Amino acid sequence: MGQAPGDIKASEITPESVWLDRRTFLKAAGIAAVSALVPRLARAGGADDKPTSFDDITHYNNFYEFGTDKLSPSREAPKYLKARPWSVRVEGLVAKPKTWDIDEVVKRFPAEERVYHLRCVEAWSAVVPWSGFPLSALLKKAEPKSKAKYVAFQTLLDPKQMPGQNASVLPWPYVEGLRLDEAMHPLTMLATGLYGKPLPAQDGAPIRLVVPWKYGFKSIKSIVKVMLVERQPPTTWNIAAPNEYGFYSNVNPAVDHPRWSQKTERRLGDLFRHPTLPFNGYETQVAGLYKGMDLAKDF
Ligand code: MTE
C-alpha cells in the first residue's frame, strides 16, 4: 500500500527564510495568489503542497454535530448554524476574563493567511489556506495566571443549531484541550476563514482551532469557550475511545491506530497515498515541546 513521492533535491526545497518572505508577501498579495505561489514545501519532508480545492475542503468534513458521515456537514451545517451573533468566552485561571463578540475578535486580531497541512486521524489529509491569527494573541489578552497549565476548549451546545447533538454518538458539547505551551506555540491558530472567505459553517464557523502537527480532531470547531485550567482537561475522543485517542494526538507514523496504520495518508483530490511525516511535517518547529516524553505512551 502507498507510494512514496520521488526524492526531492535539496535545491528544490524552499529554505524557510524564503518561505517566510513568501508568507509576508502573500499576506500583501491576498489569498488568491496562494495556489500559484506556494507549490512547494512549507515544511520538511517531501509531499506536494498544492492547496486542496475549496470544493474538497468544504465537502468532505468531520463535524459530528451535523452527522457522522463526510457529506452531512456541508449539507446540514449551512441550514442550521448561525455564525452571527456569536461570542467567545475566555475565562478560568486568568486575570482578565472576557466575553468577546466575534466581530470584535475579527477586528482586534487581524487575519493572516497560512497554508497548513491537516492530517485527519482517519488517514486522509488536506492542504488548507486558512486565515486567522495565533491563539497566543487571544490568550495573552486574558493574562493567564501562573497556575494555568492547560487550555480547554468548548464547541457550542445547542441542538437547535446543531441537530446532531440530539443523538448520543458523542458526549456533547465537543471539548478539546492543549497544554499551555502547545496553545502558545506560534503555529497554533484560531481560524476565521479559508481561501480568503469567512469560514463555511461545515468547517467550523465562525471560529475554530487549527493545530497543524496534531490529528485533525484536536482542531475543534465553532468555539464558544476557552478556559485556562490547572489540570489536563477531558477531550471528546479520549472520553469516547481512550485506547484509540490520547490527549496529545501528535501525528506519528510510527504509532499505529489500534484499527489501522498511520504510516500513509490520502490527500483529498489525489490518487496516490503520501507517507505521513512525524508531527505532520512540523517536527523542527514543535518536537522540542515533547523532549523527554515517550510519544508511544503519551499518544
Ligand atoms: N469539532 C467539532 N466541534 N466536532 C467535530 O466532530 N471533528 C474533528 C475536527 N473538529 C469535529 C471538530 C475532526 S475528526 C477533524 S478531522 C476536523 O475537525 C476536520 O476539519 P474539516 O472538516 O475542516 O476538514
Side-chain angles (χ1 to χ4, degrees):
M1 184 174 69
Q3 170 167 315
D7 283 339
I8 293 188
K9 293 188 214 102
S11 61
E12 285 184 292
I13 294 173
T14 307
E16 183 162 31
S17 55
V18 174
W19 165 247
L20 289 174
D21 281 357
R22 263 188 195 169
R23 273 229 300 244
T24 315
F25 172 69
L26 282 173
K27 217 166 119 184
I31 199 76
V34 165
S35 36
L37 291 172
V38 193
R40 272 182 205 279
L41 304 176
R43 49 176 207 166
D48 182 9
D49 283 305
K50 192 167 147 292
T52 303
S53 74
F54 182 77
D55 198 53
D56 279 336
I57 292 170
T58 56
H59 290 86
Y60 193 87
N61 301 101
N62 273 330
F63 202 168
Y64 275 47
E65 286 85 339
F66 299 99
T68 55
D69 68 294
K70 305 290 181 258
L71 288 173
S72 297
S74 56
R75 203 179 51 236
E76 303 300 325
K79 284 198 267 187
Y80 291 100
L81 184 65
K82 303 269 166 288
R84 296 291 189 285
W86 190 276
S87 55
V88 180
R89 172 90 184 149
V90 184
E91 61 175 38
L93 298 170
V94 296
K96 295 189 171 158
K98 179 176 160 108
T99 302
W100 292 83
D101 182 81
I102 188 66
D103 291 319
E104 199 186 349
V105 170
V106 169
K107 212 169 121 197
R108 178 62 191 77
F109 305 101
E112 40 182 283
E113 319 295 349
R114 294 186 184 185
V115 182
Y116 276 168
H117 292 246
L118 180 142
R119 170 58 158 83
C120 182
V121 74
E122 295 163 324
W124 54 268
S125 66
V127 182
V128 187
W130 299 108
S131 24
F133 59 93
L135 169 63
S136 64
L138 181 73
L139 296 180
K140 280 179 195 156
K141 283 269 167 240
E143 298 179 12
K145 295 180 177 170
S146 58
K147 266 194 152 178
K149 297 287 185 284
Y150 293 87
V151 185
F153 304 86
Q154 234 179 69
T155 293
L156 177 71
L157 176 63
D158 180 358
K160 286 205 187 72
Q161 286 195 60
M162 297 184 154
Q165 291 176 338
N166 289 308
S168 46
V169 283
L170 287 176
W172 309 112
Y174 195 101
V175 291
E176 256 306 334
L178 294 172
R179 223 170 51 193
L180 186 58
D181 57 347
E182 298 177 321
M184 296 299 285
H185 192 281
L187 283 179
T188 303
M189 82 187 292
L190 284 170
T192 52
L194 62 84
Y195 269 103
K197 307 178 217 253
L199 215 49
Q202 61 267 35
D203 290 276
I207 188 163
R208 57 99 51 94
L209 185 68
V210 182
V211 194
W213 70 94
K214 292 179 181 282
Y215 290 117
F217 65 86
K218 298 296 284 182
S219 294
I220 180 174
K221 296 176 170 182
S222 306
I223 296 169
V224 292
K225 203 188 274 186
V226 177
M227 231 177 328
L228 284 281
V229 296
E230 192 174 357
R231 301 236 166 79
Q232 185 177 298
T235 62
T236 291
W237 284 101
N238 180 253
I239 298 168
N243 61 323
E244 299 189 1
Y245 310 107
F247 176 79
Y248 284 94
S249 293
N250 293 314
V251 173
N252 190 349
V255 175
D256 286 342
H257 184 281
R259 291 184 281 134
W260 59 82
S261 163
Q262 293 292 25
K263 287 190 179 61
T264 66
E265 64 202 60
R266 191 184 66 81
R267 185 81 44 82
L268 299 184
D270 278 11
L271 229 43
F272 300 113
R273 301 186 72 86
H274 297 277
T276 288
L277 303 176
F279 297 104
N280 203 22
Y282 301 93
E283 185 170 17
T284 16
Q285 293 101 314
V286 302
L289 294 171
Y290 309 102
K291 229 186 237 152
M293 284 174 64
D294 178 354
L295 293 177
K297 217 171 108 243
D298 278 316
F299 61 91

